[in-house]
Amino acid sequence: MKETAALPAAASGVWVFAEQRAGIVQPISHELLARGRRLADARGAPLTSVLLGPAGDDGLREMIRRGADRVLHVADPALQDFLPEPYSAVTAHLVRERRPDIFIAGATTTGRTLMPLLAVLCHAGLTADCTQLEIDPATGELLQIRPAIGGNIMATIRTPLCRPQMATVRPRSMKPAPPDPGRAGEIERLTVPPELLRSRVRRVAFEPADDEGGGIQKAEVVVAAGRGLKKGANFDLVRRLARALNAGVGASRDAVDRGWIGYPHQVGLSGKTISPRLYFCAGISGSVQHLAGIKTAEHIIAVNLNPDAQIFKVADYGVVADLFELLPLLTEKLEARKKSARAPGTEGSG
Amino acid sequence: MDIIVPIKQVPETSKVRMDPNTGVMIREGVESIINPLDLYAIEAALQLAEGCGGRTTALSMGPAKAEAAVREAIAMGCTEGVLLSHRSFAGSDTWATSFALSLAIRKRGAFDLILCGERATDGDTGQVGPGIAAWLGLPVVTYVSRILECGPRAVVVRRMIEEGYETLEAELPCVLTVVKEAAYPRLPTLRGKQRARAATVPVWGPEDIGAPAESLGLKGSPTRVVKVESPSLARHGDVRTPKDPAELERAVDGIVDYLERLGLT
Ligand SMILES: Cc1cc2nc3c(=O)[nH]c(=O)nc-3n(C[C@H](O)[C@H](O)[C@H](O)COP(=O)(O)OP(=O)(O)OC[C@H]3O[C@@H](n4cnc5c(N)ncnc54)[C@H](O)[C@@H]3O)c2cc1C
Ligand SMILES: Nc1ncnc2c1ncn2[C@@H]1O[C@H](COP(=O)(O)O)[C@@H](O)[C@H]1O
C-alpha cells in the first residue's frame, strides 16, 4: 500500500480533555474516553487523553485501561484548579505542537469555558453540547450532532477546513467503558514554558455546595415530578417514594421555576443530563427540553393523567392515573416489601 | 466604570412551534426578544454603574430589527447602544460572532468590563463570551453568580461550578458571563422608554470595525450546519389505563414487578 501523504492533523488522532478535581480524575474523563475510542477506531487513529494539574499514577493508568493510547500529563501546581488563561494557553501550546485532528471536552463549566478560548487561539471550529458524535464514513470528518432552538431540532454540524475539529459533549450522555486491565498505553509527563502559566484571575476561596440534588447524576434511580404535583409541599410524596427506592429526586423546569424545589434538581436541556438505570416520573408532560435530559436513561416509568402526554412516547411502562392516588399506593407497597425483607430472621437490617 | 453588555436578539423559544411534517421551525408570528439570560447581564451592569458611577453600552450584532433589542436595553437604563448589522455578518457561528463583536468593542475604545449572558436561548452555546475574551486577550470568568466587589483595578466574583462556589478575583478590564442568580432584571420605566425612543443607535458595518471580509459571516465561520431534523421519540412501551381502583392496584403491581425485574426493590 502506498504511504498516504495524510495531513499531519489526521495523523495525530483524537484527543479528549480529561478533568481532575483535587488530583482525582473525574468520571467525565472516562465518558469522553468511551466516545473518543469509538471515534479513534473509526478513524484508525490513536486516542490521547490530556490532563492538566496534579493526579495520581493510578488515575492516569485508569485512563489507559478505559481506552486511551496515550496520556499527556502536565502536572504543574499552577494547574491545580481550572483557571481559563493557563488552561487555554497550555492546551493551545499542546495543540499547536502536536496537531490533533479531533479534540473533545465535557460540556462542564470547565470544558465550556476552556474550549471557546482554545477555538479562538487555534482558529478552530467548536460545537457546543453535542449529544452524538460520529465519523462521516465518506470524508472521515467529525459529525457533531446537537439539540438547538430549545431542543426543538437536532442539528448536524461539521468543520470542513479548520483543525482540530472541536466539540463539547454533555456529561452523562455516554457510559464509560469498563476498565480493561490488559490495555497498554503510554503516559507522557510534560513541562511547559512558565509564561504559559500566568493568570490574571486568582482563586481566593471555594465553598462546596451541599449535595442537594447534586446526587441525581450519580443515582441509579431518579424519581421526578413536575407541574402535575400542584404545589411544592407535595414533593413530600416524591421524596417518600425516593427513599423507598433509594433514589435521587428530580424535577421539571416548571416545578423548579415555581420554586417548589431547587435548581440542582432540574432535569433537562437547561438542567442536568442524567443516565440512571431507572427514571420514574409523575406529572411531567415530557417536553422535548425535558426529554433531552433523560435520553440515556435505561428504563423509564411514567405516570400522567393525560393519556396523550408526550412522556408516554418514551416510557417503557406508563400508567394513565392520578399521581395523588398512585404514588402513595406504590410507596406503601415498596415500604411493606422492605419491611418484610428486614423482618427478624432475615439479614440486611441495620 | 465603563461597561459593555453584548446582547443578542432571539426568537421567543418557548413559543416556537415546529412543523410536524417538515421538522422546520415556524418563524412566522414568533416574537423577537432580548435573550432572556442577557437581561441578568444588563441588570448586573446597571447596578455596578449606579453603584460607582459609570456608563453602560448595549452592543448587539444581528439583523436591522435587532435595533429593538438595543433600544429595550436603553429603556432598562443602559446609557447608550450600538448595533452591528450588515448582510456580510449573516450566518456567523460563535467564532465569527465573537470576532466581529471584539472588533466593535475595540473600535468603541477603552472600557473596564464586558458583561455577557451565560448563553443565548436559540444557539444555546455559551461560547461567545469566552470567545470575545480570547480575541481581546482579556481574562474571563464564566458562570458568575454574584459580583461581590468591583474596585478600580479588579473585580471579586462568585462563580457557580458543579461542586459549589468559587470566589475569584480578576484584573480589569475583563469579561464576565453571568448566570440567573447574578441579578433580578428590572422592567423598563416610562422615562426609560422615552429616552430609548429618542436615542440614536449607530449601526456599524464591516468597514466601520475594520473587519476582513473572509473572517465574517458564513464565510468566516469554521463550522457549518449540514442537516437539521426533528428529534425522534423512540421507545414504545406498555401503557396501562386503569378504570377503577382494582385496575389501578394491578397497574401499581406492574410497576413493582418491573422494579423487581431490575433488581431495584
Ligand atoms: C430553552 C428551553 C430550555 C428548557 N429546559 C428545560 C429543562 O431543562 N427541563 C425541563 O423540564 N423543562 C425545560 N424547559 C421547559 C419545557 O418546555 C416545559 O415547559 C417543561 O418541561 C414542562 O414541565 P412539566 O412537564 O412539569 O409541566 P407541564 O407541561 O405543565 O406538564 C404537567 C403534566 O402533569 C400532568 N398532571 C397534572 N395533574 C396530574 C395528576 N394529578 N396526576 C398525574 N399527572 C398529572 C399533566 O397531564 C401534564 O402532562 C425548557 C424550555 C426552553 C424554551
Ligand atoms: N449576536 C450577538 N450580539 C451580541 N451579543 C451576543 C451575540 N451572540 C451572543 N452574544 C453574547 O454572548 C452570550 C452567549 O451567547 P451564545 O454563545 O450564542 O450562547 C450572550 O448571552 C450574549 O451576551
Side-chain angles (χ1 to χ4, degrees):
Chain A
M1 200 177 88
K2 180 176 139 254
E3 206 176 301
T4 46
L7 294 162
S12 61
V14 178
W15 283 19
V16 303
F17 183 80
E19 292 186 33
Q20 55 80 22
R21 294 281 182 286
I24 311 284
V25 175
Q26 297 296 293
I28 180 72
S29 318
H30 302 151
E31 294 166 35
L32 291 169
L33 284 169
R35 270 188 199 275
R37 190 67 258 168
R38 282 187 28 217
L39 300 174
D41 290 344
R43 292 289 276 124
L47 176 62
T48 299
S49 183
V50 179
L51 187 84
L52 307 190
D57 258 5
D58 194 56
L60 300 177
R61 274 199 298 271
E62 180 74 2
M63 292 199 279
I64 292 175
R65 294 193 284 266
R66 302 261 193 184
D69 297 310
R70 177 179 294 266
V71 174
L72 296 182
H73 184 209
V74 186
D76 200 289
L79 300 168
Q80 160 114 29
D81 298 306
F82 171 69
L83 289 172
E85 289 164 278
Y87 265 62
S88 58
V90 169
T91 44
H93 172 75
L94 296 176
V95 164
R96 285 190 196 113
E97 255 185 4
R98 305 190 179 216
R99 314 201 154 274
D101 184 34
I102 293 172
F103 195 3
I104 59 177
T108 58
T109 53
T110 295
R112 297 190 93 179
T113 307
L114 169 67
M115 296 300 262
L117 294 171
L118 194 59
V120 169
L121 295 177
C122 298
H123 194 161
L126 170 63
T127 302
D129 243 357
C130 296
T131 50
Q132 245 175 292
L133 294 174
E134 276 160 29
I135 298 294
D136 182 348
T139 60
E141 278 178 338
L142 181 68
L143 299 177
Q144 305 141 45
I145 301 162
R146 71 179 301 255
I149 331 258
N152 286 298
I153 58 166
M154 296 297 285
T156 303
I157 292 159
R158 58 188 194 104
T159 314
L161 297 172
C162 302
R163 292 294 178 271
Q165 307 164 82
M166 308 210 311
T168 59
V169 299
R170 308 209 96 194
R172 296 263 149 187
S173 59
M174 175 127 186
K175 293 229 149 59
D180 170 0
R183 265 192 62 85
E186 201 179 325
I187 296 172
E188 202 178 330
R189 289 167 221 274
L190 303 166
T191 50
V192 294
E195 64 270 19
L196 299 183
L197 300 172
R198 274 201 297 263
S199 179
R200 285 167 291 178
V201 177
R202 224 164 38 86
R203 198 183 205 231
V204 189
F206 176 65
E207 185 190 314
D210 50 20
D211 204 31
E212 224 233 346
I216 63 170
Q217 288 187 307
K218 296 190 192 106
E220 194 181 11
V221 180
V222 173
V223 175
R227 187 156 80 164
L229 218 45
K230 308 251 176 348
K231 58 180 193 210
N234 291 334
F235 257 102
D236 285 348
L237 289 174
V238 181
R239 290 206 181 87
R240 207 176 126 203
L241 174 59
R243 264 196 305 279
L245 280 169
N246 207 358
V249 174
S252 71
R253 178 161 117 179
D254 212 282
V256 171
D257 281 353
R258 282 160 202 268
W260 295 350
I261 190 163
Y263 174 71
H265 296 269
Q266 184 175 317
V267 173
L269 190 68
S270 50
K272 293 198 167 98
T273 306
I274 56 174
S275 294
R277 276 201 72 207
L278 173 72
Y279 185 66
F280 180 104
C281 63
I284 288 181
S285 60
S287 64
V288 271
Q289 294 89 354
H290 189 79
L291 298 184
I294 56 169
K295 253 203 228 132
T296 49
E298 268 178 52
H299 299 267
I300 297 175
I301 300 181
V303 179
N304 197 304
L305 262 184
N306 175 6
D308 299 322
Q310 284 265 45
I311 192 74
F312 289 129
K313 298 222 172 88
V314 300
D316 300 287
Y317 188 91
V319 185
V320 180
D322 186 340
L323 69 89
F324 294 104
E325 291 172 20
L326 187 142
L327 291 189
L329 191 59
L330 175 61
T331 309
E332 271 159 37
K333 281 183 192 271
L334 292 171
E335 283 172 351
R337 287 170 73 94
K338 256 195 176 166
K339 232 186 240 139
S340 66
R342 253 193 255 124
T346 61
E347 45 182 282
S349 64
Chain B
M1 198 85 206
D2 196 320
I3 308 172
I4 298 170
V5 191
I7 59 171
K8 186 174 187 186
Q9 190 183 53
V10 298
E12 189 167 8
T13 33
S14 58
K15 302 227 178 94
V16 166
R17 287 173 306 125
M18 307 300 292
D19 184 323
N21 300 315
T22 60
V24 174
M25 187 174 125
I26 303 169
R27 288 175 190 268
E28 286 88 68
V30 179
E31 226 183 299
S32 291
I33 53 171
I34 295 183
N35 171 32
L37 297 173
D38 292 347
L39 298 177
Y40 304 98
I42 295 174
E43 179 63 37
L46 294 176
Q47 287 181 15
L48 281 177
E50 284 159 5
C52 54
R55 265 165 23 114
T56 47
T57 306
L59 166 66
S60 190
M61 176 169 114
K65 69 169 184 184
E67 192 189 304
V70 175
R71 283 193 196 278
E72 199 181 324
I74 296 173
M76 279 176 75
C78 285
T79 322
E80 58 193 32
V82 176
L83 177 65
L84 207 52
S85 190
H86 189 267
R87 59 181 185 289
S88 65
F89 295 127
S92 296
D93 71 356
T94 59
W95 190 96
T97 301
S98 54
F99 177 60
L101 288 170
S102 72
L103 290 178
I105 291 169
R106 274 223 174 93
K107 151 157 175 149
R108 195 190 144 280
F111 60 89
D112 300 292
L113 197 60
I114 299 172
L115 276 176
C116 289
E118 180 199 339
R119 60 199 152 75
T121 54
D122 59 346
D124 206 19
T125 77
Q127 292 175 177
V128 169
I132 292 172
W135 283 113
L136 296 173
L138 295 177
V140 58
V141 182
T142 51
Y143 303 99
V144 169
S145 65
R146 202 181 312 157
I147 299 173
L148 299 168
E149 281 168 47
C150 189
R153 269 181 294 278
V155 273
V156 181
V157 298
R158 235 162 107 86
R159 174 171 190 253
M160 192 168 81
I161 61 173
E162 288 80 0
E163 297 83 14
Y165 292 93
E166 298 181 304
T167 306
L168 299 164
E169 186 183 49
E171 283 176 26
L172 295 178
C174 72
V175 178
L176 304 179
T177 77
V178 304
V179 297
K180 250 184 181 178
E181 283 76 4
Y184 189 78
R186 67 190 69 185
L187 292 170
T189 59
L190 192 61
R191 254 190 54 213
K193 283 182 187 163
Q194 284 163 351
R195 224 171 53 77
R197 259 197 304 275
T200 329
V201 174
V203 180
W204 294 348
E207 280 99 61
D208 299 301
I209 58 173
E214 71 277 7
S215 300
L216 297 180
L218 193 59
K219 213 193 295 165
S221 296
T223 59
R224 290 274 182 287
V225 176
V226 287
K227 193 168 77 184
V228 162
E229 59 194 352
S230 293
S232 58
L233 301 170
R235 7 190 156 195
H236 278 286
D238 176 6
V239 179
R240 308 283 170 90
T241 310
K243 296 274 176 289
D244 55 42
E247 282 186 25
L248 178 68
E249 175 116 23
R250 273 200 295 283
V252 171
D253 285 336
I255 297 179
V256 176
D257 289 344
Y258 200 109
L259 295 171
E260 185 157 54
R261 281 202 300 281
L262 295 180
L264 294 172
T265 53

